[in-house]
Amino acid sequence: MYTDSRLGQVWQLLTPLLNAGVYFLIFGLLLDTKRGVPDFIPFLVTGVFLFGFTQRSVTSGSKSVGDNLSLIRALHFPRATLPLAIAIVELQQLLLALIVLFVIVFAFGEPLSLQMLLFVPVMALQLMFNVGISMVMARLGAFNRDITQLLPFVMRTWLYMSGVIFSLPSLMKPGTRLADYPWLGELLQLNPAYVYVELSRTSCSASTGTMSEGSRTPPRRGSCGSTRSSGPR
């Protein structure tokens, strides 16, 4: 990927950053979805980078068997290694992007803490999830190539439902539209992509607190979108 372009693998970093810039312009500024989220840029970049990890794994994994039929017919090897290899490659590319992510996080004043080590098990869990869903899509894509054409629309819908560009707790506050449909908020919170994105935001924040529910005043949020408790001054 990107081998024919002049910038080469630099696009692995530029693509999610440009996507985050577009989302910030449209949703953060024009539609004002950044309400209730201080330091919206780290919040948004974290979501774009981590969801992109799953998105690329699933999209490429769905083509892994169909695009390698000649190799499969020529050699005998476990077919599951094809989507597994794609997920591992995407993880390697994500590790490079995480350098940029943490530079952005630190630039917005987030202090270095031991809690950031939680990023490691979160990435391991997300990798296992990506491998599993990639294997399923590889199986489906091998028998029906139309799935690969439909998948980009499914992934875009999944992105909008995963809290990448908005704070779900803010949308569930009393008086908001989503508060009138609490079952919908509960359903969105069961979304695996939302879970991994929120775990990543929490691990790069100085506190493990979450947005208060009900009519209580929410505590101050950390730069990655998780709440940060205000200590005595």
Side-chain angles (χ1 to χ4, degrees):
M1 186 181 296
Y2 306 120
T3 54
D4 296 333
S5 61
R6 179 168 300 181
L7 294 179
Q9 295 301 317
V10 176
W11 283 107
Q12 292 289 348
L13 300 178
L14 289 180
T15 299
L17 286 175
L18 291 174
N19 284 334
V22 172
Y23 294 144
F24 175 74
L25 175 63
I26 297 176
F27 296 98
L29 296 181
L30 298 182
L31 299 181
D32 198 23
T33 60
K34 62 185 178 64
R35 289 177 294 179
V37 185
D39 298 332
F40 182 71
I41 292 180
F43 174 92
L44 178 62
V45 172
T46 303
V48 171
F49 276 39
L50 273 298
F51 183 84
F53 174 37
T54 296
Q55 183 180 36
R56 292 189 302 272
S57 298
V58 173
T59 302
S60 300
S62 66
K63 306 175 184 177
S64 59
V65 174
D67 290 349
N68 292 280
L69 290 178
S70 58
L71 178 63
I72 292 174
R73 291 166 181 158
L75 300 174
H76 294 283
F77 63 94
R79 308 300 189 261
T81 57
L82 295 173
L84 174 61
I86 287 176
I88 293 177
V89 169
E90 293 298 338
L91 176 63
Q92 294 174 341
Q93 296 173 349
L94 175 67
L95 295 179
L96 296 176
L98 288 181
I99 299 176
V100 178
L101 171 61
F102 277 99
V103 168
I104 295 175
V105 169
F106 293 142
F108 276 77
E110 189 67 38
L112 183 65
S113 65
L114 292 176
Q115 183 174 318
M116 292 181 177
L117 294 176
L118 293 175
F119 229 109
V120 177
V122 171
M123 289 295 96
L125 291 173
Q126 188 172 1
L127 174 62
M128 289 188 290
F129 172 77
N130 291 352
V131 171
I133 194 172
S134 295
M135 288 181 178
V136 173
M137 296 308 302
R139 179 81 173 181
L140 296 176
F143 291 100
N144 190 348
R145 300 304 294 268
D146 292 332
I147 291 179
T148 60
Q149 303 299 323
L150 181 63
L151 199 55
F153 302 99
V154 175
M155 298 304 298
R156 182 57 58 90
T157 304
W158 194 13
L159 181 146
Y160 292 143
M161 298 176 61
S162 301
V164 173
I165 55 180
F166 60 85
S167 171
L168 184 56
S170 297
L171 296 182
M172 296 175 64
K173 290 180 180 179
T176 60
R177 181 173 300 179
L178 194 58
D180 297 331
Y181 305 94
W183 61 269
L184 181 57
E186 296 294 332
L187 185 62
L188 292 176
Q189 288 180 329
L190 295 176
N191 178 0
Y194 170 78
V195 172
Y196 289 118
V197 167
E198 284 301 299
L199 286 175
S200 301
R201 286 168 175 162
T202 301
S203 63
C204 68
S205 174
S207 173
T208 58
T210 55
M211 177 68 76
S212 301
E213 297 180 356
S215 59
R216 293 178 296 174
T217 302
R220 187 165 57 94
R221 300 176 65 86
S223 64
C224 288
S226 301
T227 56
R228 183 189 307 170
S229 58
S230 300
R233 305 197 174 198

